[in-house]
Amino acid sequence: MLTHTTRPAWLGATIAVAVIVFAEAIGGTVDVALMLSAALALLVGALLGRSGQASHLPLTETGAPRRHAIAEALLAHIPDPVILVDRRVVVIEANPAARRLLPGLKLRHPLSFSLRSPDVLDGIEEVLRTGNAVRTEYATRVPTERAFEVQIGALPIPEIPGSGEANVVLFLRDLTAARRLETMRVDFVANASHELRTPLSALLGFIETLQGPARDDVRAREKFLGIMRSQAQRMTRLIDDLLSLSRIELHEHVVPTRTVDLGRIARQMVDMHAPLARERGVELKVERPEIPLPVLGDRDELLRVIENLVENAVKYGGSGGVVTVSLHRVEGPSGRPGRIELWVRDEGPGIAPEHIPRLTERFYRVDTASSRQQGGTGLGLAIVKHTLNRHRGRLTIESEPDRGTTVRVSLPEHRPNRDAGLGDTPSEEG
């Protein structure tokens, strides 16, 4: 017969293992490895129980079993919130994830004190009444908006007060990231379809016109062909930007390892945009120190970042007459590596404050008509943001209406530790 000391050890292992098996069974992922892990956990519980038989410690005055360390250890390693309640819906056990989600959660207190969700509480009542597992949803809005799928099932444990009647376990699976990704996917497909539909509709309309009423009209044919060419180029730019964004997101977690001189590639990109600036009557200036400004980065991606920023400044802020690209080095605190900053400033009409937080969203435009007229795809700053994420950089946009816009890019300075044998870091060629 089990002693009082043996029971908490068995109880702790049983609770934790039952929770794991229950959650996996609902998800349909029970396998041999899981069953072996469960058996091992029960064996450990038995050994711990046997080792403590000599002490014969009594139960607490309330009759509740002692919460054994093995139960806490196993539950602590479950990343999702898990809560065990009895038939009175009083909390018996909860893992750290549940306590973080519900700070007011307390043992031996009703669950409704900390989780005020009618759907969840009704689900518990249904499980207690029918014994069938229930799935429902639970959402929080403070401090951040999060969504959970709550799996509720019966869990008979004789040692828990209730004379062998079924208790209830709640397993909360976080769906926040999946919901956000799904929303982003739906929005992305809708926006991409809309952006492609406009030039396609224009092309089809002009083709039908050239095949019909304007078949023999030379002037109309030349005009329509020019418009069709610009629409086809717009589609090409859009597809190129979509592919670029996909490639960048695919490798966003991979930190670049080659050394590039940010000052040199900024100078190169400014020289490339000089004809566009002259065409629009904009003075394009570069301010940079005569020392190398090394960063770890992908040269082509950083060229694209600077190209997007300079092109935006010339196209949308060029009415101010001057666009300045400046680079400088910022010392790090306490001898730590500094940062290389690139500023692109225009003296144009500026941007209203409500638009600034959304400028890096895909297809977001302050002025849709003006952007399309300038040949923009609405993806330039999204590409900049994801590229800087890969390079562990930061993007800051400062602007006020009628006072111009300043876009700042900050990247970690690369200082090879030659004493540690890192002086042979690959560097850019040319």
Side-chain angles (χ1 to χ4, degrees):
M1 183 173 181
L2 295 177
T3 65
H4 289 197
T5 307
T6 308
R7 287 177 179 174
W10 274 101
L11 175 59
T14 303
I15 290 175
V17 171
V19 168
I20 298 173
V21 174
F22 168 75
E24 296 293 332
I26 290 180
T29 59
V30 177
D31 55 17
V32 175
L34 176 65
M35 299 308 296
L36 290 175
S37 300
L40 179 60
L42 289 173
L43 179 60
V44 172
L47 293 175
L48 289 175
R50 288 175 180 273
S51 64
Q53 285 182 1
S55 58
H56 296 283
L57 293 177
L59 296 175
T60 59
E61 292 181 359
T62 60
R66 292 185 302 118
R67 297 167 56 232
H68 199 276
I70 192 169
E72 295 182 1
L74 289 171
L75 287 174
H77 284 81
I78 300 176
D80 292 313
V82 179
I83 305 171
L84 181 65
V85 300
D86 62 15
R87 293 190 65 84
R88 298 171 301 164
V89 198
V90 171
V91 178
I92 300 173
E93 185 60 85
N95 69 342
R99 298 172 189 273
R100 287 192 296 270
L101 175 65
L102 305 170
L105 192 67
K106 295 181 180 180
L107 299 184
R108 295 183 294 279
H109 284 68
L111 179 63
S112 57
F113 285 8
S114 57
L115 195 155
R116 299 177 179 87
S117 171
D119 291 339
V120 174
L121 298 177
D122 290 346
I124 295 173
E125 293 297 330
E126 182 177 346
V127 170
L128 289 172
R129 185 177 65 256
T130 66
N132 298 325
V134 172
R135 292 192 183 192
T136 186
E137 292 191 356
Y138 171 67
T140 64
R141 290 177 174 81
V142 179
T144 58
E145 188 170 347
R146 298 175 69 184
F148 295 86
E149 179 188 57
V150 186
Q151 302 170 356
I152 310 171
L155 186 66
I157 303 179
E159 285 81 358
I160 297 293
S163 302
E165 296 178 336
N167 298 280
V168 177
V169 62
L170 291 81
F171 184 85
L172 289 79
R173 187 161 64 93
D174 196 343
L175 302 178
T176 307
R179 293 279 175 85
R180 288 176 180 170
L181 287 174
E182 179 65 16
T183 300
M184 289 174 60
R185 186 189 67 81
V186 172
D187 291 344
F188 180 76
V189 171
N191 287 325
S193 301
H194 175 73
E195 294 292 331
L196 288 169
R197 186 181 295 114
T198 302
L200 281 173
S201 299
L203 287 172
L204 290 173
F206 287 126
I207 289 172
E208 292 174 358
T209 303
L210 289 174
Q211 289 177 334
R215 179 183 290 109
D216 301 321
D217 189 334
V218 177
R219 291 186 59 187
R221 183 169 62 247
E222 291 300 321
K223 177 182 178 181
F224 292 163
L225 286 173
I227 298 174
M228 291 169 65
R229 182 173 182 272
S230 66
Q231 292 295 328
Q233 289 174 336
R234 178 184 166 194
M235 288 178 61
T236 300
R237 288 193 299 270
L238 179 59
I239 293 171
D240 287 343
D241 282 352
L242 287 171
L243 292 174
S244 296
L245 188 56
S246 297
R247 284 193 297 267
I248 293 168
E249 289 181 322
L250 182 64
H251 301 289
E252 193 168 345
H253 63 288
V254 180
V255 180
T257 58
R258 298 186 67 86
T259 304
V260 297
D261 185 346
L262 195 64
R264 290 179 59 186
I265 61 177
R267 174 79 262 180
Q268 176 184 345
M269 193 50 60
V270 168
D271 291 342
M272 288 179 58
H273 281 78
L276 175 65
R278 284 195 298 269
E279 179 184 328
R280 295 173 178 260
V282 178
E283 181 184 1
L284 188 56
K285 301 190 301 183
V286 180
E287 299 174 354
R288 52 162 293 195
E290 295 302 323
I291 60 173
L293 301 172
V295 299
L296 286 180
D298 182 296
R299 186 174 184 276
D300 291 338
E301 291 184 3
L302 291 177
L303 276 171
R304 188 71 182 275
V305 167
I306 300 173
E307 177 185 20
N308 279 322
L309 297 181
V310 172
E311 192 171 300
N312 284 348
V314 172
K315 287 182 177 180
Y316 306 113
S319 58
V322 178
V323 171
T324 304
V325 179
S326 60
L327 297 101
H328 54 279
R329 179 177 176 273
V330 179
E331 288 286 348
S334 303
R336 293 182 179 179
R339 301 187 72 85
I340 305 299
E341 291 194 352
L342 178 142
W343 295 26
V344 179
R345 174 166 179 78
D346 65 66
E347 300 178 4
I351 304 168
E354 62 268 20
H355 294 296
I356 292 178
R358 301 191 61 190
L359 289 177
T360 56
E361 294 180 12
R362 295 175 178 85
F363 301 110
Y364 185 82
R365 297 179 174 94
V366 176
D367 185 339
T368 302
S370 174
S371 175
R372 288 177 176 169
Q373 183 180 359
Q374 299 283 2
T377 63
L379 294 172
L381 287 178
I383 291 174
V384 169
K385 180 185 75 171
H386 287 282
T387 301
L388 292 179
N389 286 345
R390 185 191 174 202
H391 288 73
R392 306 303 186 259
R394 296 194 294 262
L395 176 68
T396 306
I397 302 175
E398 300 173 348
S399 184
E400 294 182 24
D402 302 321
R403 299 189 64 178
T405 301
T406 300
V407 181
R408 293 187 297 167
V409 169
S410 176
L411 293 166
E413 181 185 22
H414 178 55
R415 287 183 178 179
N417 187 353
R418 292 180 175 84
D419 294 336
L422 299 178
D424 55 348
T425 304
S427 60
E428 66 172 345
E429 298 179 359

